[in-house]
Amino acid sequence: MRGGGGWADVLKGLLSSYFFAQLLNRTFIVDVNDYGCRLDKVLNPNSGMQWNRQINLSNTSGDEIFNYRLGYNFKIVYELKDKNVFEMTNKTYFKIETAVRIVDKMGENKYVQARMRELGFEPSEFSIFKQFYRLYNELFKLPERLQTATDEMLRRAKPNNSTKLICAQVRVGGETGGGGEDWWFMDKNQTADFWRFIRYELLERQQMISNYKLFVTSDREAVKEEARQEFGEENVLLNANTSFHFAIDKGNNHTFTKCQMMERILVDFDFFRHCDAAVV
């Protein structure tokens, strides 16, 4: 499996491909090295799942490899709903390249429902989003040094059992660099809506205001500083210098290596598992 896009898109492809491998009872191997840093340099396999095994296919006959290059083909989600995937190929290697949740309609596929139940998935309730926590944890864990840093941050985030941790991921978008594109996900001044929602819907309505911490990530360092000004430095947690795009930012304007950039993104992402409430 190879990745594409930012970390969210990479995960959609990874978790979909992993589930596909489970359905077909195949060994799952990850090849995400399009970004200047191999994934196994920043994440470790979990549960004995050795997805970082190295296989050299350079001398392998094309007759042994089934290439399933899907990219951002969203139609495949509906095509797979009716396909007998067990008859797709009997080749030795099944190579998937996608950044889409290709298995989200698989619960409606009559050919795989029995197999899904064997694996502990209820077909009527299945989607990558609903099974995200299980699939991600089966595959990945942070390296010890990153886990130690995360544990220390968690102690600051939840100094006692009654502290509520609110997490906000604010993606503004904008100039992507390289290609000169300009994709804005929201107005640059719209961050005020995030803070207003957090203050009135969570802190006040949910009565969290007396004991809370706010963890903020963004594609703009200025947004994180804005949160500090809005809620007070004592209430806001953030990791500085994490506003990179997994694929687009080549690291040319930073003091970090590509692997260090990936580590910083993944630590921010992994920390969201500890949130009591999240705003994205």
Side-chain angles (χ1 to χ4, degrees):
M1 186 275 164
R2 295 177 71 85
W7 179 231
D9 288 343
V10 170
L11 274 180
K12 293 172 193 175
L14 280 172
L15 299 185
S16 293
S17 301
Y18 170 52
F19 177 73
F20 215 84
Q22 287 186 305
L23 280 182
L24 303 182
N25 197 27
R26 285 176 172 261
T27 300
F28 180 65
I29 297 173
V30 176
D31 177 19
V32 177
N33 61 2
D34 302 3
Y35 307 102
C37 179
R38 291 191 58 85
L39 190 62
D40 55 4
K41 297 293 185 183
V42 293
L43 280 176
N44 286 346
N46 202 11
S47 305
M49 182 66 64
Q50 298 303 311
W51 49 259
N52 58 340
R53 288 174 51 195
Q54 299 291 303
I55 293 182
N56 185 358
L57 299 180
S58 59
N59 296 320
T60 303
S61 166
D63 293 336
E64 297 180 63
I65 303 174
F66 180 72
N67 285 299
Y68 206 41
R69 296 188 178 97
L70 305 174
Y72 285 90
N73 179 6
F74 293 94
K75 292 181 180 179
I76 197 67
V77 177
Y78 298 92
E79 293 174 12
L80 286 174
K81 178 171 69 74
D82 302 312
K83 185 184 290 288
N84 185 347
V85 298
F86 301 113
E87 296 181 355
M88 287 179 68
T89 183
N90 59 2
K91 293 185 177 182
T92 304
Y93 301 103
F94 193 132
K95 186 177 180 182
I96 300 178
E97 299 181 23
T98 186
V100 176
R101 305 190 313 269
I102 59 173
V103 296
D104 264 6
K105 293 290 183 180
M106 203 66 86
E108 301 175 37
N109 186 318
K110 64 181 181 181
Y111 299 105
V112 303
Q113 290 175 348
R115 175 61 176 158
M116 289 179 72
R117 291 190 176 97
E118 285 180 15
L119 295 169
F121 298 102
E122 172 50 47
S124 64
E125 296 293 323
F126 183 84
S127 74
I128 288 298
F129 282 159
K130 290 180 179 178
Q131 300 299 329
F132 184 94
Y133 193 77
R134 168 181 165 175
L135 296 173
Y136 182 86
N137 283 337
E138 286 180 2
L139 285 176
F140 305 121
K141 64 180 179 181
L142 292 175
E144 184 176 354
R145 58 190 175 78
L146 297 184
Q147 187 61 57
T148 298
T150 299
D151 292 343
E152 174 56 34
M153 188 163 64
L154 184 59
R155 281 191 284 271
R156 291 186 284 119
K158 292 194 170 188
N160 56 64
N161 292 334
S162 60
T163 302
K164 297 299 183 183
L165 177 59
I166 302 168
C167 299
Q169 204 284 331
V170 188
R171 188 173 185 186
V172 177
E175 298 174 1
T176 60
E181 299 169 286
D182 196 19
W183 296 100
W184 292 100
F185 294 95
M186 64 185 208
D187 186 273
K188 285 181 283 188
N189 299 319
Q190 206 172 351
T191 52
D193 293 339
F194 270 76
W195 315 141
R196 191 177 302 111
F197 180 88
I198 290 169
R199 185 172 297 282
Y200 293 111
E201 297 297 328
L202 297 178
L203 297 184
E204 295 187 7
R205 283 197 180 184
Q206 301 300 321
Q207 299 180 340
M208 298 180 181
I209 197 165
S210 62
N211 190 6
Y212 78 96
K213 296 290 184 184
L214 174 63
F215 176 66
V216 182
T217 69
S218 178
D219 57 353
R220 292 286 188 276
E221 291 295 308
V223 170
K224 295 189 284 189
E225 290 303 322
E226 184 181 312
R228 273 182 167 164
Q229 295 173 18
E230 179 73 24
F231 296 96
E233 188 167 351
E234 69 280 6
N235 292 318
V236 174
L237 287 169
L238 57 85
N239 289 319
N241 299 314
T242 61
S243 300
F244 311 121
H245 187 282
F246 198 71
I248 296 170
D249 198 321
K250 304 302 182 184
N252 297 330
N253 299 319
H254 301 283
T255 59
F256 304 108
T257 67
K258 194 63 179 183
C259 284
Q260 288 172 330
M261 291 167 65
M262 287 175 64
E263 284 180 355
R264 300 174 86 83
I265 293 171
L266 298 186
V267 167
D268 269 9
F269 173 84
D270 193 85
F271 197 70
F272 267 68
R273 71 172 68 230
H274 304 294
C275 306
D276 295 301
V279 182
V280 178

